Amino acid sequence: MTVKTKKKEDKRIGLFVCHCGVNIAGVVDVKKVAEALKDTPGVSMSTDYVYMCSDPGQQMIIDTIKEKHLDGIIVAACSPTLHEKTFQEAARLAGLNPYQIEIANIREQNSWVHSDKDKATKKAVKIVKSHVAKAIRNENLEPIKVDVKKRALVIGGGVSGLQAALDIADHGYEVILVEKNPSIGGKMIQLSETFPTLDCSQCILTPKMVEVSRHPRIKLLTYHEVDSVSGFIGNFKVRIKKKPRFVDEKLCNLCGECEKVCPQIVPDEFNMGLSFRKAIYMPFPQAIPGTYTLDEDHCLGLSPVRCGKCKDVCEPRAIDFDMKETIIEEEVGAIVVATGYDLYTMQALGEFGGEKYEDVVNGLEFERILSASGPTGGVVRRPSDGKVPKSVVFVQCCGSRDTEKHLPYCSKICCMYTAKHAMLYRHRVPDGQATVFYIDVRTGGKAFDEFYQRTVEEDKVLYIRGKVSKVFKEGDKLIVWGVDTLTGKKVEIEADMVVLAMAMVKTDGVQDLLKKLKISTDIHGFVAEAHPKLRPVESLNAGFFLAGCAHGPKDIPEAVSQASAAAAKVGDLFAQKELSHEPTVVPVNDELCSGCGICVTMCPYGARTLDPSKGVVDVNEILCEGCGACAAACPCGAAQQRNQTDDQIFSMLRAMLRE
Amino acid sequence: MFEPQIMCFLCKWCTSAAADLAGTSRLHHVANTINMRVMCSSRVDPQHILYAFKEGADGVFLGGCHPGDCHYVEGNYKTLRRIALFKKMLADLGIDPRRLRLEWISAAEGKKYAETMNEFTEQIRALGPLDLNDKALVREVVKDE
Ligand SMILES: Cc1cc2nc3c(=O)[nH]c(=O)nc-3n(C[C@H](O)[C@H](O)[C@H](O)COP(=O)(O)OP(=O)(O)OC[C@H]3O[C@@H](n4cnc5c(N)ncnc54)[C@H](O)[C@@H]3O)c2cc1C
Ligand code: FES
């Protein structure tokens, strides 16, 4: 925000040149600099001192500002990264707006890199002059303030979303957790045992799911989807769509009578289609919330005339065919995106026969086959005929690390879960042969390599470095053709079953959600982080945070840590009474704006929008990070960065270059 | 010997930090260059560059973060595209495009910064002073106070 500022002609600027002991004064003639600037228009006093940043130095600045009624000061000293804050604070104590402080860097970028005293002194004069030119044009600014709604929305109820919701709620804030499926749990609830410790996945996840459902500060909305989001950091308005379940969660007592009479048989998603469920179903026994859901797409007809068997047998009268989609509205201050991942489709790798042959399965299908709660009760049986396979071939990097035809990235966790699959298979079928085709084995992680070594050494899994070219059927066997890239020889293996470690990809359909949120993604459709090194759990778009595989392939411990980190960041945001933001942003001058919208396309933060009714661009200053890319692109001069306007830049250039 | 004047626009997060590091490491270099710190390389408008030439710069240097490292994520890509286009226009305006140099110098590359300053200065020295006297076009293109 700008506050009243004097006109540049009336400004009284003070100049303070620092010796920094001999650091500056040893090369730059500081007295000459102070003297040379004395008569520059706008400068009302100039002086030098041995250490400006010392207490007496700062006191001198404070006293001089008050005595001489200065409207701005220039401290010619070291790099602004060191003492800009120090002098801004000193100025504030003297009653001067901190945005009237200029630091002229005459140490790092002058006295320390030059030895010719004359040249260095002349250069110092030019540097300081340019700051005078800027200072007389500086405006008084106040940080932009805005309230924060201290409630969070978490999207996605996989392990990441659950962890983020629990942590935020434990910090003392309310959380709304939206999950599109009938139950929370995500992919982790489908896993058998987890590397590298082989804990049972459901056993470690279900307590968390229960905790979420019982937490007094978590509002759990399963079978809901985000419909639209408006507003900005600290102040989002979210519309959430409640999909009709046709079963009242509060009345359903899980007796299961409805399921028994339902005539409609549907492939079971939880078991990856390896078994069947009814149109009215519980996704899995530990589902949360514990309720049946009627799947509208497969129900014979919501009209009781057409079927209605389930309704007839429902004792507690929980089934209601008239339920309609409803919309609820919530206000939140932060949004955590934890929408997870999906697997690359087997169709994309037709040569491996995943679509054609029942016994060619993907990793998640194999997880269900291994799982005690799975379709085979944990006995490894192949889908086609239920026989226990005596030879299983595992193929890594299906779709990953293939720059030409598929995805260029490494899915990161497949080496580990393939080792786990092969190991668990060998435990269940001790006389079975497990063969793994790999490009490289990547086992970076705590206790990961030891786990892999165990697979090779103790469980005698055969690892072949090579690529598979084709899988086809001969009788009731699958023939796997590949090349051993270490020996250069062709290999042919007869298998009863083939498991493909399909690449991890963005969640199917997540782009629609991300568009509604208006947040950026990487080229593969995963949510992009604000900075790859320094801000890994924040989105570039203020107020959005990311957790888990929505951001890219990762394992459970990583997903959980990221979720906790995102929650901590939400906590940081909510710990503030109000948000305070640098005011050196780029507003728009309505009179000059032609409404071309070029600046809108320049902004990576979505801070600028074209207001069609006014025909000019609107700026949400709280979202603007002040890079100035828009200002440089604006053809009308309507977008001007506060305290770094074009006028200021031009005048600085004049001061530096005009002899 | 001809002493060129070189105007440098440096982004705050990378190249200006590299210039500071050159200072802290006492990497002496030519004094022909003078720096203006901007928030991001993408803040620099071709008009600023043209104005610098008009005001007497014999060369203009623009420093930003390496691709993928811009503090504002993609500002430097915008700069790259803008400068590539602008260099073509410079030639039409009668300014040798070699007088404008864009370089990615990270906060850790103090040495690269110092070396680049020396090298660019030599290059401009070899090109000789920029003479815009008969280039009325430039004067028309840039506004003046
Ligand atoms: C075969 C296989 C084996 C694995 N084995 C292991 C292992 O042994 N150890 C290990 O550490 N890791 C393992 N993993 C990795 C593990 O599955 C992931 O790290 C973990 O599930 C990531 O959790 P998440 O919450 O980020 O994503 P997910 O589990 O995918 O959860 C995302 C949730 O968001 C919901 N959602 C998606 N879109 C929306 C939307 N628009 N609106 C609302 N909700 C939405 C989804 O329905 C889902 O519930 C394995 C992965 C595979 C494929
Ligand atoms: S911040 Fe350095 S180029 Fe954008």
Side-chain angles (χ1 to χ4, degrees):
Chain A
M1 218 178 56
T2 6
V3 275
K4 209 173 161 338
T5 314
K6 271 197 196 165
K7 284 214 298 271
K8 73 172 193 283
E9 295 75 23
D10 304 333
K11 273 215 174 159
R12 301 168 53 81
I13 305 292
L15 168 62
F16 301 87
V17 187
C18 182
H19 299 205
C20 194
V22 292
N23 281 307
I24 295 172
V27 182
V28 170
D29 185 338
V30 286
K31 294 220 181 296
K32 213 167 168 179
V33 174
E35 182 63 24
L37 267 291
K38 185 164 104 285
D39 299 322
T40 308
V43 175
S44 58
M45 58 75 56
S46 73
T47 186
D48 60 279
Y49 186 69
V50 61
Y51 285 111
M52 285 296 172
C53 62
S54 67
D55 276 351
Q58 290 190 53
Q59 197 54 50
M60 176 187 73
I61 293 178
I62 296 173
D63 294 343
T64 319
I65 293 173
K66 288 186 185 158
E67 260 167 47
K68 309 257 170 174
H69 306 290
L70 298 178
D71 304 304
I73 61 163
I74 291 152
V75 185
C78 53
S79 165
T81 46
L82 294 164
H83 282 305
E84 188 169 35
K85 286 268 174 313
T86 315
F87 295 117
Q88 282 186 335
E89 206 36 51
R92 197 197 304 275
L93 290 173
L96 192 62
N97 185 291
Y99 292 91
Q100 296 291 357
I101 312 310
E102 284 292 318
I103 308 293
N105 183 345
I106 57 165
R107 192 178 75 173
E108 283 82 349
Q109 300 192 7
N110 190 7
S111 71
W112 274 355
V113 287
H114 304 312
S115 39
D116 184 319
K117 293 187 179 174
D118 187 44
K119 281 184 181 165
T121 304
K122 281 197 179 123
K123 182 164 169 176
V125 170
K126 286 185 186 176
I127 295 173
V128 177
K129 260 195 186 153
S130 75
H131 285 279
V132 175
K134 177 168 185 282
I136 56 173
R137 292 164 174 87
N138 273 345
E139 288 181 284
N140 288 341
L141 301 175
E142 290 295 339
I144 301 159
K145 303 261 184 196
V146 66
D147 284 343
V148 194
K149 188 122 286 133
K150 296 179 180 177
R151 302 174 81 213
L153 169 70
V154 175
I155 311 175
V159 65
S160 321
L162 297 179
Q163 187 66 45
L166 282 173
D167 284 7
I168 298 170
D170 286 343
H171 290 169
Y173 307 109
E174 268 179 59
V175 179
I176 298 150
L177 176 58
V178 172
E179 164 60 53
K180 67 173 178 187
N181 284 338
S183 171
I184 50 175
K187 297 277 193 291
M188 186 177 163
I189 199 69
Q190 293 177 285
L191 303 182
S192 55
E193 294 165 29
T194 52
F195 64 73
T197 45
L198 299 184
D199 333 48
C200 144
S201 191
Q202 294 193 336
C203 313
I204 55 177
L205 188 62
T206 45
K208 254 193 209 312
M209 292 163 60
V210 172
E211 208 184 327
V212 163
S213 71
R214 300 220 171 115
H215 203 295
R217 279 185 294 277
I218 299 179
K219 183 164 166 185
L220 179 57
L221 302 177
T222 53
Y223 221 42
H224 280 64
E225 271 178 56
V226 172
D227 185 57
S228 69
V229 175
S230 59
F232 50 90
I233 182 169
N235 300 273
F236 293 107
K237 282 201 170 56
V238 194
R239 284 164 56 89
I240 302 164
K241 186 167 70 187
K242 179 179 201 286
K243 299 187 270 188
R245 221 186 257 275
F246 304 104
V247 178
D248 188 328
E249 303 164 28
K250 291 192 205 80
L251 295 178
C252 175
N253 64 7
L254 302 180
C255 67
E257 292 302 319
C258 52
E259 187 176 17
K260 287 186 201 146
V261 298
C262 176
Q264 272 301 79
I265 291 177
V266 183
D268 183 344
E269 297 87 354
F270 180 69
N271 278 333
M272 301 297 295
L274 296 172
S275 67
F276 294 93
R277 63 163 170 87
K278 295 294 185 65
I280 190 159
Y281 70 112
M282 266 287 263
F284 49 94
Q286 309 92 323
I288 284 183
T291 177
Y292 275 80
T293 299
L294 178 68
D295 158 9
E296 194 177 358
D297 296 338
H298 294 101
C299 176
L300 271 185
L302 289 167
S303 141
V305 195
R306 288 167 57 197
C307 175
K309 290 195 172 72
C310 55
K311 194 173 168 148
D312 295 342
V313 298
C314 182
E315 193 108 296
R317 309 221 142 279
I319 298 174
D320 174 4
F321 291 147
D322 295 326
M323 264 189 202
K324 291 270 164 335
E325 189 178 287
T326 49
I327 297 275
I328 54 170
E329 289 192 14
E330 296 284 356
E331 288 185 5
V332 297
I335 299 179
V336 179
V337 182
T339 44
Y341 68 99
D342 267 321
L343 292 184
Y344 200 44
T345 60
M346 298 214 277
Q347 265 162 322
L349 285 157
E351 64 274 30
F352 292 173
E355 288 288 292
K356 261 187 286 179
Y357 312 125
E358 277 178 276
D359 296 332
V360 178
V361 299
N362 71 21
L364 276 178
E365 288 171 323
F366 200 63
E367 289 287 335
R368 294 315 299 147
I369 291 173
L370 289 170
S371 172
S373 72
T376 53
V379 181
V380 181
R381 294 185 184 283
R382 62 182 201 176
S384 62
D385 53 11
K387 272 197 205 144
V388 174
K390 291 293 163 162
S391 161
V392 179
V393 170
F394 297 87
V395 187
Q396 291 193 174
C397 300
C398 294
S400 306
R401 302 180 64 194
D402 185 335
T403 39
E404 271 162 33
K405 286 206 275 209
H406 302 284
L407 307 157
Y409 56 84
C410 165
S411 290
K412 199 171 178 181
I413 60 159
C414 323
C415 288
M416 283 305 291
Y417 79 61
T418 299
K420 172 184 80 173
H421 284 170
M423 179 192 279
L424 291 177
Y425 164 68
R426 290 274 297 129
H427 291 179
R428 309 280 160 87
V429 187
D431 62 339
Q433 174 61 51
T435 313
V436 177
F437 278 93
Y438 71 99
I439 305 181
D440 295 297
V441 177
R442 296 181 168 177
T443 52
K446 200 168 167 178
F448 282 14
D449 205 59
E450 295 90 317
F451 184 86
Y452 160 66
Q453 293 301 342
R454 218 174 105 194
T455 312
V456 177
E457 282 157 23
E458 285 176 29
D459 296 300
K460 309 276 180 267
V461 172
L462 175 65
Y463 270 73
I464 300 178
R465 189 176 194 278
K467 278 209 130 180
V468 169
S469 55
K470 195 178 164 82
V471 178
F472 59 96
K473 214 163 170 173
E474 237 176 58
D476 77 337
K477 294 279 182 197
L478 291 162
I479 310 295
V480 180
W481 273 358
V483 181
D484 182 327
T485 46
L486 289 180
T487 61
K489 287 207 183 90
K490 272 210 214 151
V491 241
E492 182 178 314
I493 295 178
E494 229 184 57
D496 298 312
M497 226 182 138
V498 174
V499 182
L500 306 179
M502 302 305 301
M504 282 169 106
V505 296
K506 69 165 178 59
T507 300
D508 196 27
V510 78
Q511 61 277 11
D512 297 335
L513 171 74
L514 301 179
K515 242 184 235 148
K516 286 177 193 158
L517 305 182
K518 298 189 212 63
I519 63 175
S520 355
T521 61
D522 62 20
I523 48 168
H524 306 296
F526 291 114
V527 182
E529 66 275 43
H531 192 284
K533 289 122 201 164
L534 304 176
R535 294 171 66 195
V537 301
E538 293 158 80
S539 155
L540 196 59
N541 308 78
F544 292 93
F545 302 85
L546 36 112
C549 296
H551 161 255
K554 48 180 70 71
D555 60 24
I556 297 163
E558 255 190 293
V560 170
S561 342
Q562 204 187 16
S564 287
K569 282 280 163 198
V570 171
D572 282 359
L573 177 66
F574 290 176
Q576 300 175 51
K577 227 169 79 214
E578 51 185 0
L579 296 180
S580 175
H581 188 71
E582 275 296 324
T584 44
V585 299
V586 187
V588 158
N589 180 337
D590 283 4
E591 315 237 299
L592 297 178
C593 178
S594 68
C596 68
I598 290 175
C599 64
V600 177
T601 64
M602 281 288 135
C603 182
Y605 305 102
R608 310 176 84 82
T609 41
L610 190 58
D611 180 339
S613 65
K614 287 195 283 175
V616 296
V617 166
D618 247 353
V619 181
N620 188 338
E621 295 192 357
I622 200 86
L623 296 182
C624 174
E625 294 281 330
C627 64
C630 56
C634 175
C636 317
Q640 291 294 339
Q641 182 155 25
R642 289 208 185 107
N643 284 359
Q644 197 168 51
T645 60
D646 285 337
D647 183 32
Q648 283 177 305
I649 293 178
F650 289 130
S651 62
M652 288 178 84
L653 290 172
R654 276 196 299 278
M656 285 181 179
L657 297 167
R658 221 177 250 184
E659 224 66 42
Chain B
M1 191 170 57
F2 163 54
E3 287 299 345
Q5 271 212 89
I6 293 173
M7 185 65 224
C8 307
F9 296 94
L10 312 181
C11 89
K12 164 176 168 169
W13 304 96
C14 287
T15 314
S16 184
D20 281 352
L21 178 62
T24 341
S25 330
R26 310 296 199 278
L27 299 171
H28 282 230
H29 53 76
V30 290
N32 301 58
T33 60
I34 189 159
N35 300 341
M36 184 190 300
R37 191 172 78 145
V38 287
M39 293 304 278
C40 174
S41 65
S42 68
R43 173 66 189 96
V44 179
D45 185 332
Q47 280 204 62
H48 302 148
I49 299 169
L50 217 48
Y51 196 82
F53 282 127
K54 200 209 85 182
E55 288 299 324
D58 302 295
V60 174
F61 178 83
L62 176 50
C65 314
H66 284 272
D69 286 350
C70 170
H71 188 74
Y72 308 98
V73 187
E74 47 190 38
N76 47 7
Y77 291 104
K78 291 170 189 150
T79 306
L80 184 66
R81 292 194 286 265
R82 211 177 259 161
I83 297 303
L85 187 67
F86 181 56
K87 279 196 166 198
K88 298 215 165 103
M89 285 174 59
L90 270 186
D92 293 340
L93 288 167
I95 299 174
D96 189 325
R98 284 175 298 177
R99 291 186 185 273
L100 169 61
R101 177 150 170 190
L102 169 65
E103 200 76 53
W104 311 133
I105 304 180
S106 82
E109 295 174 319
K111 188 155 176 274
K112 178 172 175 189
Y113 169 80
E115 285 167 358
T116 310
M117 291 300 112
N118 285 337
E119 196 188 295
F120 188 48
T121 305
E122 280 324 304
Q123 205 181 334
I124 299 300
R125 205 192 300 278
L127 288 174
L130 174 64
D131 180 11
L132 284 177
N133 279 341
D134 54 336
K135 296 292 179 291
L137 200 53
V138 176
R139 301 196 181 281
E140 257 170 49
V141 173
V142 294
K143 64 169 189 178
D144 208 350
E145 184 163 76

